Amino acid sequence: MAYGTITRRRAVLTSGASLAAPSVRAQAPYPAGQSVALVVALAPGGASDVIGRIVTQGLQERLGGTFFLEHRTGGSTSIAARYVARARPDGSTLFLGSVSTFALTPLTMRNPGYDPINDFTRITQACESLFLLAANPRWPSLEALLDAARARPESISYATWGIGTTSHLWMEDLCRRAGVRMLHVPYAGSPPAMTDTIAGRTDCLPALLAACKGHMEAGRLRGLAVPTATRPPQLPDVPTFIEKGFADFVSAVWYSVQGPPGMPALIVVRIRDALARHFADPAVQAFMAAQGMLPPEIGEGPLLARIRRELALHRELMVRAGVEPA
């Protein structure tokens, strides 16, 4: 199953159906031959591209029309979010937003230019990307790392992909739960953070499974623990944080499909049902598992609950970490 063929820049719409008024489009079987952009807030080549291609291919196969990725990067994902929040609510513009867009950037920016609750039509979650605490191989276990951190506060370092990011706040939560103080070393992205942990310049880092699995298999990194309820099949030998005594320490990097506010209910239902069928396909599930992804919980309710829950959690963690909105 290939997901690399449905990415292009926004097409110029020329057909009569594509130029029809939103009310007419809503009455026709969506997407009625129109081109639909799935806006992605991150640069090409990462996990968001992979899940974006899964989404666009699934919608195209099940609904017809043309679905494609449109990258609008920058502003800690706020540029893409503002663009979608102001787009026409006719189904021609959708948004692949992440936990950063809806539960971090609204807290870390004084004026992100959008409201994560009120400025979007929530369709469904798209996936969770598994991540874990990975360490330089000199650390044999989570216990050894935390014991050293307790014995020598701020002598053990952790790398992240930036101040106020998911990786930073997640590590602050772990340190709080463990009763330790570690030295935070922020980087401009995850690749240099991983490079320095492999080289031993930092001790550990939160890392997406898809990015670090090869390094773990080659012995360049060691997986210490995963924040999942049970051990994922991709990492049967890596314990969960729950097994290590951290009750309810479950987390993931997640993505969702949303649209501008005021989208017609009939269009929302068609998109949601198509994605539910797509994500239930065993071949799609196998492909996602190979990428370190878990299938989503379908529906608006679970997505809204998650956004509200994680906004509250990250607000608390930012205070503890001393992160001020910029």
Side-chain angles (χ1 to χ4, degrees):
M1 179 171 297
Y3 290 104
T5 58
I6 311 178
T7 304
R8 61 181 179 87
R9 298 189 66 83
R10 178 182 288 275
V12 177
L13 306 183
T14 58
S15 70
S18 297
L19 295 175
S23 60
V24 175
R25 286 189 193 167
Q27 296 170 10
Y30 176 82
Q34 68 177 307
S35 294
V36 178
L38 179 67
V39 177
V40 180
L42 301 174
S48 59
D49 251 19
V50 176
I51 186 61
R53 290 174 185 134
I54 294 173
V55 169
T56 51
Q57 184 158 325
L59 292 176
Q60 185 159 301
E61 289 176 352
R62 286 162 172 77
L63 297 179
T66 300
F67 290 81
F68 61 95
L69 301 187
E70 181 177 320
H71 293 91
R72 291 181 175 266
T73 61
S76 299
T77 75
S78 66
I79 290 176
R82 290 195 300 268
Y83 173 78
V84 174
R86 291 158 176 74
R88 292 190 302 174
D90 58 1
S92 63
T93 303
L94 303 176
F95 186 31
L96 184 68
S98 68
V99 56
S100 295
T101 309
F102 294 99
L104 277 175
T105 297
L107 304 176
T108 57
M109 295 182 69
R110 294 187 186 278
N111 183 23
Y114 65 93
D115 184 291
I117 301 294
N118 298 317
D119 284 350
F120 300 91
T121 295
R122 287 170 293 276
I123 298 175
T124 189
Q125 295 181 76
C127 83
E128 294 183 356
S129 286
L130 292 171
F131 73 114
L132 69 153
L133 181 62
N136 184 277
R138 70 173 176 268
W139 294 106
S141 66
L142 177 65
E143 291 88 347
L145 183 80
L146 295 180
D147 286 347
R150 292 189 186 97
R152 304 186 304 277
E154 296 192 355
S155 66
I156 305 302
S157 60
Y158 68 88
T160 72
W161 51 85
I163 295 173
T165 60
T166 306
S167 57
H168 177 205
L169 298 183
W170 185 78
M171 283 300 300
E172 286 295 320
D173 194 17
L174 173 61
C175 289
R176 175 184 65 85
R177 291 168 179 259
V180 302
R181 297 204 314 273
M182 294 187 189
L183 177 64
H184 177 211
V185 184
Y187 290 80
S190 57
M194 188 172 299
T195 296
D196 273 10
T197 300
I198 291 171
R201 289 184 282 272
T202 52
D203 292 289
C204 62
L205 82 163
L208 291 176
L209 173 58
C212 69
K213 192 166 187 285
H215 294 301
M216 292 169 58
E217 292 171 346
R220 293 186 290 267
L221 287 174
R222 187 190 309 277
L224 299 186
V226 291
T228 52
T230 59
R231 296 189 185 193
Q234 299 93 331
L235 295 172
D237 298 324
V238 178
T240 68
F241 280 98
I242 294 175
E243 290 178 64
K244 295 297 183 179
F246 294 89
D248 301 322
F249 193 33
V250 176
S251 185
V253 175
W254 53 268
Y255 300 86
S256 64
V257 178
Q258 307 200 38
M263 284 181 62
L266 289 176
I267 291 179
V268 173
V269 169
R270 281 184 62 82
I271 295 171
R272 184 179 294 143
D273 288 350
L275 289 176
R277 287 183 282 119
H278 189 58
F279 286 126
D281 186 320
V284 175
Q285 292 186 354
F287 178 84
M288 293 177 67
Q291 303 299 314
M293 297 176 179
L294 299 175
E297 190 172 3
I298 300 295
E300 177 188 8
L303 175 55
L304 177 59
R306 184 164 207 165
I307 293 172
R308 286 177 168 163
R309 181 175 65 249
E310 296 199 11
L311 277 169
L313 171 63
H314 290 141
R315 186 176 288 110
E316 177 185 348
L317 292 176
M318 282 179 60
V319 172
R320 293 179 179 274
V323 178
E324 296 286 341

